[in-house]
Amino acid sequence: MAQGPYSEKVMDHFMHPRNMGEIEDPSGVGEVGNPACGDVMRLYLKIENDTIIDAKFKTFGCGAAIASSSMTTELIKGKSIDEALAISNEAVAEALGGLPPAKQHCSVLAEEALQAALEDYKKKQQEGK
Ligand code: FES
């Protein structure tokens, strides 16, 4: 098969995104956007006993952003909050078999959405909700 700029994993996660959708009554939600391209990513987390038991996403964006969101949900499920906090955009891009240089920012969006969702969770915890 002809090789485009995208790895097979990127294409797979773009064509068959994992965990797309919303979580009802989520433990934390993170929404971030990239003003340069206008893409927006929203990540929902369900957390119990310090562990991410479910993750879903909605991404209005390019294929690399959708693949990055999909891969991020796969990477964080079953992880502790600290483990999830340590996941960088490089880790997401690497798990996807790499992204073209012009598309690295799409994986940054995934890292930012994850951080934002975890922050939202922590804030809710402090508020005792
Ligand atoms: Fe903006 Fe991919 S082009 S997230």
Side-chain angles (χ1 to χ4, degrees), residues 34 36-41 59 61-66 102-103 105-107 109:
N34 181 324
C37 62
D39 291 351
V40 179
M41 191 180 288
T59 294
C62 71
I66 289 169
K103 288 288 177 179
H105 81 267
C106 316
S107 62
L109 208 56

Side-chain angles (χ1 to χ4, degrees), residues 76-124:
I76 61 177
K77 273 204 210 180
K79 292 248 163 42
S80 72
I81 293 171
D82 284 347
E83 285 169 337
L85 276 171
I87 292 177
S88 64
N89 77 293
E90 285 96 352
V92 174
E94 204 183 296
L96 284 169
L99 284 171
K103 288 288 177 179
Q104 287 297 333
H105 81 267
C106 316
S107 62
V108 172
L109 208 56
E111 179 188 323
E112 287 175 354
L114 175 58
Q115 305 285 334
L118 290 168
E119 256 170 49
D120 182 49
Y121 167 71
K122 287 185 176 176
K123 212 174 77 198
K124 283 189 176 135

Side-chain angles (χ1 to χ4, degrees), residues 13-72:
H13 278 261
F14 169 55
M15 307 287 267
H16 313 283
R18 326 291 201 266
N19 311 305
M20 198 155 64
E22 291 176 35
I23 292 178
E24 250 179 69
D25 195 20
S27 314
V29 184
E31 183 175 309
V32 291
N34 181 324
C37 62
D39 291 351
V40 179
M41 191 180 288
R42 195 181 300 155
L43 184 67
Y44 301 82
L45 300 178
K46 192 89 191 165
I47 299 174
E48 264 172 30
N49 299 325
D50 206 40
T51 301
I52 298 172
I53 57 166
D54 200 10
K56 285 201 175 9
F57 76 93
K58 272 198 166 168
T59 294
F60 305 90
C62 71
I66 289 169
S68 296
S69 326
S70 168
M71 182 53 87
T72 299

